[in-house]
Amino acid sequence: TVALAAPVAAHSDVRHYAARLLGDIHTAAVDVPLVEALKHSDRDQQHAALESLTQVGEGTGGLPHETLEALEPFLGNADIELRMLAVRAIGLVACERSSEVLHELIEDENPHVRLEAVRALDRRGEITTGLQTCLKDENTGVRLAAAKALARHCGHDALDALVDFAFFADGTHRSQASQLLAGIAPEEAAERFMSILADESQKRIWLVAIEALGELAPHFDLEQQHAAA
């Protein structure tokens, strides 16, 4: 049996559709009506407007500073999906206040919000020491997102942090960490792992070091491959 009655009133459905449609129009002219749509109490209207704002911001290279005032109230919303969309949109507002907000959110109690904040900072290239603390986050997704951001933007300066990351939680991320290290400084990373194997007091983590070296071996010369073996 198919219900023929629409689940929402026609006028509401039109507003929802319009808010979604504006996301396909990548021009600053649609920012204002989308921000206005956020002021409605209708949850679906807000959801559509937030998604569209993100799409417009990505298409135009960013959202205007004025957008932040309308987005910040959603950070306290009980609806986690709306909060995540708001964080994603805030990441597209290039100003000092949005940076402050994102850095605060990497310590949010909700892992989904923390993940969106880390991804937003990665896209902006705003990497601070605070992001290194995310390598020990209780959420796997947050940890990996932070590791990728550090590798992408800090390069060689992230070497020590990523070597430590390989040993975190009994080597849970040794493979991912080694792959990131291979793109930065494979020979230096291999030397760090070799130093672990030369230390009898570190026997507990030797297996992690050996497996990390196995990932790195194809990325440096033959002599060092033999040494690693």
Side-chain angles (χ1 to χ4, degrees):
T1 302
V2 178
L4 298 179
V8 295
H11 65 278
S12 295
D13 195 40
V14 170
R15 287 200 301 263
H16 299 168
Y17 178 73
R20 288 193 298 271
L21 186 64
L22 287 176
D24 296 326
I25 305 173
H26 297 172
T27 170
V30 301
D31 292 340
V32 173
L34 284 173
V35 167
E36 286 299 313
L38 292 177
K39 298 176 183 179
H40 287 275
S41 58
D42 185 294
R43 189 264 182 193
D44 290 335
Q45 176 90 345
Q46 294 172 334
H47 187 284
L50 286 169
E51 278 193 326
S52 289
L53 268 175
T54 301
Q55 291 170 10
V56 172
E58 290 172 346
T60 60
L63 294 171
H65 300 178
E66 299 76 21
T67 315
L68 188 61
E69 185 178 351
L71 292 170
E72 281 200 76
F74 285 93
L75 297 179
N77 200 298
D79 189 317
I80 187 59
E81 194 171 359
L82 292 183
R83 287 183 68 196
M84 290 167 61
L85 288 170
V87 175
R88 204 173 298 169
I90 287 172
L92 295 165
V93 182
C95 67
E96 185 176 344
R97 174 56 187 161
S98 65
S99 294
E100 292 174 358
V101 170
L102 292 172
H103 281 97
E104 290 170 4
L105 290 174
I106 62 175
E107 298 180 4
D108 193 86
E109 62 180 15
N110 189 286
H112 300 293
V113 172
R114 296 198 300 275
L115 179 56
E116 288 295 340
V118 170
R119 286 174 173 170
L121 289 169
D122 182 9
R123 287 191 294 269
R124 292 160 69 112
E126 295 181 12
I127 309 302
T128 64
T129 53
L131 201 63
Q132 286 196 17
T133 63
C134 293
L135 294 177
K136 296 183 179 180
D137 194 277
E138 62 183 21
N139 181 269
T140 300
V142 174
R143 294 196 297 266
L144 289 174
K148 291 175 182 176
L150 287 167
R152 184 170 12 255
H153 299 287
C154 299
H156 189 275
D157 291 338
L159 183 65
D160 290 334
L162 291 175
V163 168
D164 291 341
F165 182 57
F167 293 103
F168 180 75
D170 297 322
T172 298
H173 301 301
R174 54 187 175 273
S175 179
Q176 294 96 329
S178 298
Q179 289 168 18
L180 293 172
L181 287 164
I184 298 173
E187 296 183 12
E188 287 187 57
E191 289 174 5
R192 307 292 173 90
F193 290 120
M194 289 296 291
S195 69
I196 297 291
L197 295 177
D199 186 350
E200 290 283 339
S201 67
Q202 304 268 35
K203 270 190 174 181
R204 185 180 63 83
I205 57 174
W206 275 7
L207 180 59
V208 175
I210 291 169
E211 292 185 355
L213 280 166
E215 293 274 358
L216 288 169
H219 300 278
F220 49 89
D221 66 42
L222 185 60
E223 182 180 347
Q224 287 177 303
Q225 286 190 38
H226 288 164

